[in-house]
Amino acid sequence: MTHADTEPDTTAPAPSPRGAAVDTLLMLPLFEQLAGVLGGHPYVKVVVDRDRGLWHVLDSAVHSFHVNYIATEIQGLTLEQLDAELDRFNHDVYQDPARRFLLGVLSLRSLGGPDHDEPFMVLETTEADTMGAELLIEFHAFVRAHLDPALELLVKPANHGQENALAAVPETVVPRARGHALLATAPFVPLALARATGRLRAFASGEEYLAARADLAWYDIVAMPVVPDDIPRLAGLVNALPTTPLSHTNMLAAGWGIPNAIVRGVLDTIADEKWDGAWVRYEVTADGFVIEPAEEPSDLAEPTWHTQRVRLDAPHVTDVPLVPLSALRAVDRNRYGTKAANLGELHHVLRHGSSRLTGYYSVPRPPRADLLGHLAARLRMPEDGDLAQHASEFLTRHVQAPAGVAVPFSVQQRFLNSSPAVQQSIGKLKMALELHAMDAVDSICVQLQHLVRTLPVPEDLVRALDAQVVEHLAGTSRFAVRSSSNAEDLPGFSAAGIYESHTKVADLPGLLDAIRQVWASLLSPRSVRLRHQAGISLDDTYMGVIVQRYEPSPLGGVMVTCNPTNRADFRNVYLNCAHGSTADVVDGRTLPLQYLYNTVEGGGRTTSLGAAPEDLPQETRGHLARLALAGRLLQSHFATDYTFAGPLDVEWLLGPDGALRILQLRPYSA
């Protein structure tokens, strides 16, 4: 809808089919007529025509895309003509410093609370917009002059480039709203999009939850300040306080396909409505959530995940040697586990390159035939360059794989077979599982874990481990010992955080203890219960072990090569990090810094500072942008199909030299 730069007329006329005609000021009633809802906030799209001194406020029910509106309503093009030159058109409106149009979104916000109850407007561009300081100042001034003066107008930088451009601009000229600050007070943040009907269980504290945990059923929906890491399989999760989509708890929820969200004030609402213990319908979408009363089912049939069994490939457990990680390939997952095999494959890619690295960018994104030109731009490749070669060289320059030793399934099998007491207890456990005697299952698991932790490792296995460590990890003063099971990283069964890892190991006795702890975690009551629910037989379950050199780092974290809160977003990867241990991020012990990085047009943005007092330096965020691109390239290489759409879950460290050290990479189940 066009707005002429004339004298103010605050009377809002009736809406037209394409928007509403007003003169200068956009008032709240008209805004609400035209607004859609995004992330729980009313919004409209705006276009400023710099040549004509006009602005256009788009009816959200009619116009989904700025560029479609400009092409068809202003320039008289057809959508077919736009599609034929979409990349050039996007450059003209998002990157050209001399652009005719300024494109943005106006959203209505409120921080809530007694000190921030007045509504205000936030103006932001798309994440790919390279608008610099001069254009941002002009954009803000134009919209400010045409907006209801009673509403405060803040500019939200859409990416780190805009943040840097505005750093020298006083906030009196361009008042700012930081994305991470808005998210920290957001009333709703989706974590996993799904729907469920179940019994709502509300807990005001971790202590209340622990007291009731044994009585939770698969059809329960748990609401509490932050849902902890030790949850059984449930029907849905509701967090009342901020958390990260990449914690183990939320990784499990994504893998299970259950609704999960952050909903401010949800515990108060549940108490006011007396919903605790009641049956409800719970749905999470990208734009909002629903919790409403529902009828209790007359009979509680088994959940589909209890009847649709997870399939495991047949493991190889006969005469498999201990080897360095660098000797493995992806096909070795049935002997050493997915995590160990993938690290071996990473070593191979860094040594020899891969023709598959460009796969994600070669897939059509209608109306684009592919994104290969965008990848070439990200890699700064000359016109006559070989894209796969440049991608391989990029990885070699910026990524390192850990040195380590892989302990195969066969070693664990020999260890367990060496003890009649262990075998007898395993027999009891199988019988208890067949009889669904879950109380007995728990006690047998605890006994089994004690046996495994205290059983001596056969001497020939000790000598084999010692020889491998001497040959491949000599000089290491601290080791990390990690799980690599065949019963994780599966469609419908992620097992995030179920098995143990140990990072404070200094010598051979410590290595043996840590390896036994990892083996014992395969028999924990929780891991046995979750696998049994998914139909994974104890007979088919094995544990490999990774022994790595521990790498100290000032910064580490987790990345998934998708946007977990918006799976239709093909541009961004989600990255969490914290100073110190990566375990603090995935275990939820600290709220991490959170970022989205665009691997198509480039750029990134901070979505949360977590527990950090300030954002990372610009140089460090540049390293993270390279990590995001490396993750996207590796997603292509590790894809098992030719859509290249399956995201990766990557644990990483940033070395003091700026090198990106990948500790683990595995499929991200969602």
Side-chain angles (χ1 to χ4, degrees):
M1 190 60 228
T2 300
H3 301 261
D5 189 8
T6 61
E7 291 297 314
D9 179 356
T10 57
T11 303
S16 74
R18 299 193 181 279
V22 300
D23 265 332
T24 303
L25 297 184
L26 178 64
M27 309 295 286
L28 264 181
L30 180 57
F31 173 90
E32 291 167 349
Q33 279 184 295
L34 300 176
V37 177
L38 185 64
H41 301 286
Y43 81 99
V44 294
K45 289 183 169 66
V46 298
V47 174
V48 170
D49 186 338
R50 301 172 70 207
D51 285 359
R52 300 187 61 193
L54 304 174
W55 77 320
H56 306 248
V57 178
L58 281 55
D59 186 339
S60 297
V62 179
H63 299 290
S64 300
F65 300 102
H66 290 95
V67 292
N68 288 12
Y69 178 86
I70 293 171
T72 59
E73 301 297 323
I74 300 178
Q75 297 186 337
L77 302 176
T78 66
L79 289 179
E80 290 74 17
Q81 289 171 318
L82 170 64
D83 289 347
E85 296 190 72
L86 184 60
D87 285 334
R88 180 198 60 77
F89 199 93
N90 281 339
H91 177 271
D92 289 347
V93 296
Y94 294 125
Q95 277 89 41
D96 188 349
R99 67 191 74 174
R100 172 183 171 184
F101 300 105
L102 305 179
L103 281 56
V105 171
L106 263 179
S107 57
L108 182 65
R109 309 275 185 139
S110 174
L111 295 179
D115 299 327
H116 302 92
D117 56 351
E118 290 297 322
F120 61 96
M121 287 286 193
V122 172
L123 177 66
E124 60 185 303
T125 71
T126 67
E127 62 179 288
D129 201 308
T130 60
M131 205 180 287
E134 290 185 4
L135 288 179
L136 287 166
I137 292 169
E138 177 185 341
F139 196 18
H140 172 265
F142 189 100
V143 176
R144 173 68 281 169
H146 293 74
L147 186 64
D148 183 345
L151 290 169
E152 184 180 13
L153 177 65
L154 307 179
V155 169
K156 173 187 168 187
N159 50 53
H160 292 148
Q162 290 187 4
E163 284 185 16
N164 298 335
L166 286 174
V169 178
E171 297 222 16
T172 53
V173 176
V174 179
R176 255 98 83 196
R178 273 69 180 181
H180 55 78
L182 292 174
L183 186 65
T185 60
F188 162 74
V189 178
L191 297 174
L193 312 185
R195 66 172 67 92
T197 299
R199 182 179 62 179
L200 187 59
R201 304 292 302 276
F203 305 107
S205 67
E207 290 74 21
E208 283 188 17
Y209 162 79
L210 287 174
R213 183 176 59 186
D215 298 324
L216 292 175
W218 62 264
Y219 47 78
D220 282 330
I221 296 168
V222 166
M224 58 187 297
V226 174
V227 181
D229 203 27
D230 62 350
I231 54 169
R233 188 150 187 172
L234 298 167
L237 308 180
V238 194
N239 299 272
L241 296 176
T243 181
T244 168
L246 303 191
S247 72
H248 279 152
T249 301
N250 298 322
M251 291 282 209
L252 287 172
W256 292 337
I258 63 175
N260 184 17
I262 302 167
V263 181
R264 295 266 186 183
V266 68
L267 295 177
D268 292 336
T269 302
I270 292 170
D272 292 344
E273 299 292 340
K274 297 180 172 55
W275 283 345
D276 187 21
W279 280 77
V280 299
R281 183 178 78 87
Y282 174 39
E283 181 174 6
V284 176
T285 66
D287 296 331
F289 73 96
V290 173
I291 300 177
E292 61 185 14
E295 292 291 328
E296 180 178 352
S298 57
D299 62 331
L300 292 173
E302 285 189 304
T304 55
W305 51 261
H306 202 214
T307 56
Q308 297 173 357
R309 301 311 196 191
V310 174
R311 184 180 65 85
L312 294 181
D313 293 333
H316 299 169
V317 294
T318 305
D319 299 326
V320 179
L322 283 78
V323 296
L325 284 174
S326 57
L328 298 182
R329 297 294 304 274
V331 294
D332 292 313
R333 66 176 60 90
N334 293 334
R335 301 190 294 167
Y336 296 88
T338 299
K339 283 188 281 190
N342 282 354
L343 286 175
E345 187 71 17
L346 175 61
H347 275 276
H348 178 82
V349 171
L350 296 180
R351 287 195 307 267
H352 303 292
S354 168
S355 61
R356 294 174 56 86
L357 296 176
T358 62
Y360 183 86
Y361 293 87
S362 67
V363 175
R365 305 283 179 186
R368 305 171 185 84
D370 57 59
L371 300 174
L372 294 173
H374 290 281
L375 176 58
R378 302 283 72 74
L379 296 174
R380 296 185 173 89
M381 189 189 77
E383 290 187 8
D384 59 347
D386 182 295
L387 196 53
Q389 179 182 340
H390 273 75
S392 297
E393 291 172 353
F394 174 86
L395 288 179
T396 302
R397 280 197 308 275
H398 298 296
V399 173
Q400 295 178 359
V405 172
V407 181
F409 300 154
S410 60
V411 171
Q412 179 224 10
Q413 184 71 2
R414 277 193 58 199
F415 172 77
L416 297 179
N417 288 342
S418 70
S419 169
V422 168
Q423 291 303 305
Q424 185 179 23
S425 293
I426 289 176
K428 291 179 181 178
L429 179 57
K430 291 177 183 177
M431 181 63 70
L433 289 169
E434 287 183 15
L435 297 174
H436 300 287
M438 301 315 291
D439 289 342
V441 165
D442 288 358
S443 63
I444 295 170
C445 284
V446 171
Q447 295 168 9
L448 257 173
Q449 287 190 284
H450 175 73
L451 286 172
V452 170
R453 290 174 182 138
T454 56
L455 182 67
V457 179
E459 279 301 317
D460 62 326
L461 295 181
V462 175
R463 289 193 298 271
L465 175 63
D466 181 63
Q468 285 291 323
V469 173
V470 167
E471 182 176 355
H472 301 289
L473 296 172
T476 301
S477 60
R478 183 174 170 183
F479 298 90
V481 179
R482 307 181 189 278
S483 64
S484 183
S485 171
N486 69 330
E488 58 185 326
D489 310 322
L490 303 167
F493 191 76
S494 73
I498 291 175
Y499 306 125
E500 292 189 15
S501 295
H502 297 269
T503 60
K504 297 181 179 179
V505 180
D507 52 22
L508 182 59
L511 277 175
L512 297 176
D513 285 342
I515 289 171
R516 284 180 295 205
Q517 293 276 4
V518 172
W519 284 336
S521 68
L522 194 70
L523 298 165
S524 72
R526 183 173 180 236
S527 70
V528 169
R529 278 175 174 264
L530 289 174
R531 290 196 307 271
H532 180 67
Q533 290 171 346
I536 299 175
S537 168
L538 194 63
D539 285 331
D540 297 331
T541 306
Y542 294 89
M543 179 64 78
V545 180
I546 301 167
V547 178
Q548 296 172 330
R549 179 179 289 113
Y550 177 79
E551 301 281 2
S553 171
L555 190 73
V558 183
M559 169 180 67
V560 291
T561 59
C562 65
N563 181 350
T565 64
N566 179 9
R567 294 304 297 272
D569 177 3
F570 63 86
R571 291 176 163 83
N572 287 292
V573 304
Y574 203 81
L575 194 148
N576 284 190
C577 59
H579 299 282
S581 171
T582 60
D584 291 344
V585 175
V586 296
D587 293 346
R589 290 195 290 265
T590 186
L591 193 59
L593 292 135
Q594 301 174 43
Y595 300 92
L596 280 168
Y597 280 95
N598 185 329
T599 60
V600 178
E601 290 90 359
R605 62 189 190 272
T606 306
T607 63
S608 174
L609 293 184
E614 59 185 5
D615 207 343
L616 294 172
Q618 184 177 346
E619 181 182 3
T620 304
R621 292 184 304 195
H623 291 312
L624 300 187
R626 287 189 283 275
L627 173 63
L629 181 56
R632 188 69 87 195
L633 297 174
L634 290 171
Q635 172 181 332
S636 298
H637 177 82
F638 282 92
T640 57
D641 64 14
Y642 295 95
T643 67
F644 303 99
L648 291 178
D649 169 7
V650 180
E651 270 189 47
W652 56 271
L653 294 172
L654 180 64
D657 56 356
L660 299 159
R661 299 187 174 115
I662 291 181
L663 305 180
Q664 298 184 53
L665 70 166
R666 55 190 176 181
Y668 173 62
S669 298

